[in-house]
């Protein structure tokens, strides 16, 4: 993986300087580091404790499956991991960066440069074409327009949708929409892919198609965290953790590769 | 792909909401443009009138009785004919120091006659002078020439059922109608107009006149001075500079303009509120989408900018459209206010730019809070299943 050293411009300031190779290996082994993570939702009635103290270390290049029943806190965990939702306690480090220690808008910059999100139920922007949806993460990035386009067309080709670039999401099948969403997550060449139930709305054939795509990305060295309650796709993960009532249950203990 | 591409995509493909926003702004901008254009056109018209007609001065006998007035000047009870001027005294006008500024001297004799059993005002004039002085008179027919001819004001013609070519008896003497005046909106509409000598004979006042209209044709004559000089050579008279009348109209226009500004301000305020409500609705309908933007790494400020950009783009379109609609409305509405006067709508690039600026300012102001609200939305909604 060359993400860290390939970063340029604004990204540089996000990543601590890498002095030596052993340090780099240490960072790769502890690519994602979660400590004492808690999340409580205040809500109207009684507060909901969605996460009750999670500890987890994920090495670079993993394909981690986060499983568990509905309401067990999977999406909440992914949101906190992805810098979308401040935890009530604990900390999250990705590539050595303390996410919730970042000042102000830098968390948004972190998401843009480090993360690719693939959401439950596609979540494409309905009034933008497939190509425009893929371009979206680059819209707020300083980069020549031609380069952005070339990059977006490349990833669309990568997910096998080069000929659908001008279609609006409504004109695409579920599997195609999902693949556009994956292309969008990949366009920035992020070090970490986060997927929430990406196959939730797909039939089993399309599910296999999409999972093969993720498996290929994994083989290429991408780090992926995928939330699902679909046991059938468990075989694609190289490690799995199970959430129950906001706690980790079973799976390999924290810090150990799967 | 940049932020404005996203904004444009939304406006284009979800055009109905954008259309509502644009329509709202168009109404406001158009109203403001119409009000400003009209008050401007009416002002220009009044100024032109001042210059074209110069300063008309009315010389009338001094009186304490204000029961009747004509041409903005109070006349002593006309029927009683308490006082008159002598036609012979008119020659003194040419002796005043500013006599070279005096272009026209039009004596008038006013009196009541009976026509078709009704009391009617008769005005005796020197047709040549009178019609030159009253350039705004539009005559269907020709001025009265020989002794027993007359021209009827529009209201008098209607009241007495007079048409061009008719014959009518005034105090038992037959007159031929040679023309009818188009409505002037003044008391001239009530008159029957005939030659001065004829009127003097009919009213039994030979050599007498009721008042004199004097035209000083120049754009900035020393009107007040001329008036004083006239008063000196014609003792026992009241001399009124009729420029006063136009000035009064200018004052009325000022009031109209102030009123326009107030209306415009109210409309703009309402407008901003409607924009606010529309944009707030739009933002709340797009929480998931905004969550996606945030998850993909848009900063809060990017989301704020995106919403403001959409509002600004719609506003620019509304500004241009509103300007055109407003100018169109001015063409339609102006005749209603100008009442037969010749008024032209003026196209100014400044107003066009102002209209666009107004739309953008109102659109952006109304969208400011919705834009900030959008940037503060919880991005995790993007993760929730539909
Ligand atoms: N914004 C919120 N406010 C209040 N409670 C919330 C909020 N988001 C999640 N929760 C609660 O937190 C708990 C965990 O929710 P979460 O969405 O993480 O579950 P999940 O494992 O993703 O479920 P699913 O498989 O159905 O997607 C649930 O009890 C849920 O009701
Ligand atoms: Mg979930």
């Amino acid at each position: 993986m060359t993400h860290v050293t390939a970063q340029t411009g604004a990204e540089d300031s996000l990543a601590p300087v890498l002095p030596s190779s052993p340090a780099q290996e240490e960072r790769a082994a502890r690519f994602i580091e979660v400590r004492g993570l808690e999340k409580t939702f205040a809500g109207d009635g009684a507060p909901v404790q969605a996460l009750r103290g999670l500890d987890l270390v994920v090495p670079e290049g993993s394909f981690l499956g986060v499983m568990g029943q509905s309401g067990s806190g999977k999406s909440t965990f992914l949101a906190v991991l992805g810098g979308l939702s401040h935890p009530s306690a604990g900390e999250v480090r990705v590539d050595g960066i303390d996410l919730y220690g970042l000042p102000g808008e830098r968390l948004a910059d972190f998401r843009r440069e480090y993360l690719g999100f693939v959401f439950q139920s596609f979540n494409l922007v309905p009034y933008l074409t497939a190509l425009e949806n893929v371009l979206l993460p680059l819209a707020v990035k300083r980069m020549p327009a031609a380069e952005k386009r070339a990059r977006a067309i490349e990833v669309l080709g990568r997910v096998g949708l080069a000929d659908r670039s001008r279609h609006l999401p409504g004109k695409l099948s579920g599997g195609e929409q999902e693949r556009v969403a994956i292309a969008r997550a990949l366009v920035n060449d992020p070090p970490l892919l986060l997927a929430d139930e990406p196959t939730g709305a797909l039939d089993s054939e399309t599910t296999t198609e999409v999972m093969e795509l993720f498996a290929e990305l994994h083989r290429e060295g991408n780090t992926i965290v995928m939330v699902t309650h679909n046991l059938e796709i468990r075989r694609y993960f190289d490690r799995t953790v199970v959430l129950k009532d906001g706690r980790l249950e079973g799976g390999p203990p924290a810090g150990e590769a799967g | 792909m940049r932020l404005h591409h996203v904004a444009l995509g939304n406006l284009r493909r979800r055009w109905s909401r954008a259309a509502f926003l644009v329509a709202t702004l168009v109404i406001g901008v158009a109203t403001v443009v119409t009000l400003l254009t009209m008050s401007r056109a009416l002002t220009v018209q009044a100024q032109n009138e001042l210059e074209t007609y110069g300063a008309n001065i009315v010389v009338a006998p001094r009186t304490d009785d204000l029961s009747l007035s004509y041409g903005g000047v109070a006349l002593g009870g006309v029927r009683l004919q308490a006082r008159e001027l002598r036609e012979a005294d008119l020659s003194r006008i040419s002796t005043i120091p500013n006599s070279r500024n005096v272009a026209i001297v039009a004596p008038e004799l006013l009196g009541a006659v009976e026509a078709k059993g009704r009391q009617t005002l008769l005005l005796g004039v020197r047709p040549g002078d009178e019609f030159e002085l009253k350039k705004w008179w539009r005559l269907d027919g020709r001025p009265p020439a020989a002794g027993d001819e007359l021209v009827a004001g529009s209201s008098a013609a209607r009241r007495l059922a007079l048409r061009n070519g008719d014959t009518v008896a005034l105090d038992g003497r037959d007159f031929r109608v040679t023309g009818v005046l188009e409505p002037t909106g003044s008391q001239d509409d009530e008159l029957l107009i005939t030659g001065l000598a004829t009127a003097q004979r009919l009213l039994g006042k030979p050599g007498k006149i009721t008042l004199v209209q004097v035209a000083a044709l120049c754009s900035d004559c020393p009107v007040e001075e001329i008036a004083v000089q006239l008063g000196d050579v014609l003792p026992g008279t009241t001399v009124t500079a009729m420029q006063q009348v136009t000035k009064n109209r200018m004052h009325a226009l000022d009031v109209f303009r102030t009123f326009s500004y107030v209306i415009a301000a109210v409309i703009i305020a309402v407008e901003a509120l409607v924009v606010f409500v529309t944009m707030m609705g739009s933002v709340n309908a797009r929480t998931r989408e905004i969550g996606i933007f945030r998850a993909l790494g848009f900063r809060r400020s990017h989301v704020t900018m995106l919403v403001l950009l959409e509002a600004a783009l719609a506003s620019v379109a509304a500004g241009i459209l509103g300007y055109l609609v407003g100018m169109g409305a001015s063409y339609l509405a102006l005749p209603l206010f100008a009442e037969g006067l010749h008024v032209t709508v003026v196209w100014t690039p400044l107003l066009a730019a102002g209209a666009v600026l107004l739309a953008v300012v109102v659109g952006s102001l109304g969208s400011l809070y919705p834009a900030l609200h959008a940037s503060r939305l919880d991005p995790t909604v993007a993760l929730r299943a539909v």
Side-chain angles (χ1 to χ4, degrees):
Chain A
M1 285 277 279
T2 55
H3 289 115
V4 172
T5 47
Q7 307 291 327
T8 54
E11 301 99 273
D12 265 338
S13 50
L14 279 169
V17 187
L18 310 167
S20 65
S21 171
Q24 202 168 346
E25 271 171 35
E26 166 68 11
R27 280 162 61 96
R30 314 183 73 79
F31 188 63
I32 300 173
E33 200 174 346
V34 173
R35 295 249 163 272
L37 202 60
E38 289 179 24
K39 177 74 184 180
T40 306
F41 291 106
D44 317 321
V48 178
Q49 274 192 284
L51 301 177
R52 307 167 187 242
L54 296 190
D55 294 286
L56 184 68
V57 174
V58 183
E60 194 167 24
S62 302
F63 192 171
L64 175 73
V66 179
M67 309 201 60
Q69 288 176 337
S70 187
S72 57
K74 305 185 296 295
S75 295
T76 305
F77 172 60
L78 203 73
V80 177
L81 192 58
L84 288 175
S85 176
H86 280 252
S88 311
E91 63 172 33
V92 178
R93 286 178 182 275
V94 173
D95 201 19
I97 301 165
D98 177 10
L99 263 54
Y100 295 99
L102 287 175
E105 302 261 56
R106 301 310 298 271
L107 197 51
D109 298 343
F110 168 83
R111 287 197 292 270
R112 187 167 67 247
E113 305 304 341
Y114 267 76
L115 303 182
F117 273 103
V118 181
F119 308 96
Q120 198 162 358
S121 66
F122 326 130
N123 270 342
L124 299 179
V125 178
Y127 52 82
L128 298 178
T129 64
L131 185 65
E132 288 167 340
N133 262 286
V134 174
L135 278 165
L136 210 46
L138 304 180
V140 291
K141 209 169 151 154
R142 231 178 270 279
M143 190 196 261
E147 205 173 301
K148 290 182 181 178
R149 248 187 104 76
R151 178 79 189 127
I153 289 170
E154 182 195 326
V155 287
L156 259 184
R158 166 98 228 255
V159 299
L161 287 176
D163 56 337
R164 297 282 196 283
S165 62
R166 288 166 168 279
H167 286 57
L168 288 173
K171 300 265 153 66
L172 296 172
S173 76
E176 287 169 336
Q177 290 186 45
E178 192 61 41
R179 282 188 281 157
V180 172
I182 295 169
R184 185 175 64 188
L186 291 174
V187 75
N188 224 1
D189 199 13
L192 178 59
L193 282 176
L194 301 178
D196 191 352
E197 215 78 71
T199 60
L202 304 178
D203 60 30
S204 63
E205 206 171 310
T206 324
T207 296
T208 308
E209 233 173 77
V210 167
M211 287 313 295
E212 286 300 337
L213 186 56
F214 274 107
E216 196 185 320
L217 291 169
H218 175 223
R219 279 196 295 279
E220 288 169 10
N222 286 289
T223 310
I224 306 170
V225 175
M226 183 176 291
V227 162
T228 185
H229 57 239
N230 183 352
L231 289 171
E232 304 222 331
I233 63 174
R234 185 177 185 148
R235 59 193 170 92
Y236 290 95
F237 306 143
D238 65 354
R239 30 183 280 142
T240 306
V241 291
V242 177
L243 266 175
K244 190 174 182 195
D245 292 335
R247 290 194 181 85
L248 283 180
E249 181 188 74
E256 199 179 289
Chain B
M1 182 88 160
R2 301 212 58 95
L3 271 184
H4 67 266
H5 293 111
V6 182
L8 270 175
N10 180 35
L11 291 174
R12 243 176 51 218
R13 302 199 182 108
R14 282 194 192 145
W15 57 269
S16 58
R17 199 184 279 269
F20 178 76
L21 190 66
V22 169
T24 307
L25 285 169
V26 163
I27 293 170
V29 172
T31 310
V32 172
V33 166
T34 307
L35 286 173
L36 292 184
T37 304
M38 282 189 10
S39 77
R40 190 195 151 87
L42 292 172
T43 306
V44 166
Q45 188 267 337
Q47 275 163 352
N48 284 346
E49 197 171 285
L50 254 183
E51 277 168 25
T52 315
Y53 301 140
N56 287 355
I57 299 164
V58 174
V59 184
R62 191 173 296 143
T63 174
D64 303 323
D65 183 357
L66 296 174
S67 64
L68 252 177
S69 79
Y70 166 66
V73 181
L75 303 174
V78 170
R79 284 183 215 165
L80 302 174
Q81 297 298 358
R83 287 159 182 258
E84 272 110 16
L85 302 172
R86 281 182 299 150
E87 196 178 353
D89 292 342
L90 291 182
S91 58
R92 290 192 217 145
I93 291 176
S94 59
T95 66
I96 66 166
N98 274 95
S99 60
R100 67 194 159 75
N101 287 123
V102 176
I104 308 167
V105 176
E108 297 178 347
L109 176 64
L110 198 60
V113 292
E114 198 181 285
K116 296 191 177 176
R118 294 164 180 247
Q119 288 282 307
T120 304
L121 281 175
L122 178 72
L123 186 72
V125 301
R126 288 185 199 151
D129 292 331
E130 190 76 11
F131 277 81
E132 193 185 343
L133 186 129
K134 298 194 171 169
K135 291 191 175 69
W136 56 94
W137 277 3
R138 298 266 175 279
L139 182 63
D140 177 17
R142 61 169 176 80
D148 295 345
E149 289 185 349
L150 65 77
V151 157
S154 62
S155 305
R158 195 161 1 92
R159 204 153 40 82
L160 301 171
L162 294 180
R163 304 236 315 265
N164 207 347
D166 286 356
T167 301
V168 62
L170 302 185
D171 286 349
R173 184 167 163 173
D174 277 351
F175 279 76
R176 216 164 70 81
V177 179
T178 63
V180 175
L181 287 178
E182 284 177 17
T184 61
S186 72
Q187 290 184 334
D188 293 349
D189 294 348
E190 301 291 341
L191 302 173
L192 296 177
I193 300 156
T194 185
L196 184 59
T198 312
Q200 286 169 340
R201 232 176 302 129
L202 197 65
L203 297 170
K205 291 177 177 163
K208 294 287 171 67
I209 50 177
T210 315
L211 53 82
V212 187
Q213 305 232 22
V214 177
L217 279 188
C218 52
S219 57
D220 50 358
C221 301
V223 190
E224 316 300 339
E225 240 170 77
I226 297 174
V228 170
Q229 292 166 7
L230 288 173
D232 288 347
V233 297
L234 300 169
T237 59
T238 308
V239 181
T240 312
M242 290 293 283
Q243 198 177 32
Q244 229 36 64
V245 175
T246 316
K247 278 185 177 157
N248 285 346
R249 182 139 95 246
M250 295 291 268
H251 176 71
L253 274 171
D254 279 345
V255 174
F256 175 73
R257 198 164 29 234
T258 310
F259 177 71
S260 307
Y261 290 150
V262 172
I263 296 274
V266 170
I267 286 173
I268 288 166
V270 171
E271 196 91 309
L273 260 169
V274 175
V275 170
F276 168 80
V277 170
T278 312
M279 290 306 284
M280 209 60 188
S282 161
V283 163
N284 284 329
R286 296 166 70 189
T287 50
R288 169 174 286 262
E289 189 182 310
I290 289 162
I292 298 173
F293 292 146
R294 298 273 289 130
L296 295 180
F298 282 36
R299 291 176 165 203
R300 283 174 194 272
S301 57
H302 291 135
V303 173
T304 306
M305 243 150 67
L306 183 65
V307 175
L308 287 180
L309 252 177
E310 289 183 12
L313 285 171
S315 302
V316 168
I320 295 169
L321 261 174
Y323 175 68
L324 296 177
V325 170
M327 293 308 282
S330 302
Y331 274 108
L332 295 179
L334 207 47
L336 303 180
F337 287 81
E339 283 181 3
L341 297 171
H342 183 65
V343 186
T344 43
V345 172
V346 188
W347 292 76
T348 51
L350 195 68
L351 185 59
V356 173
L357 189 71
L358 174 73
V360 171
V361 167
V362 173
S364 307
L365 271 184
S367 305
L368 201 57
Y369 182 78
L372 290 173
H373 172 72
S375 78
R376 287 194 295 259
L377 286 173
D378 177 9
T380 58
V381 292
L383 288 174
R384 283 185 213 132
V386 231

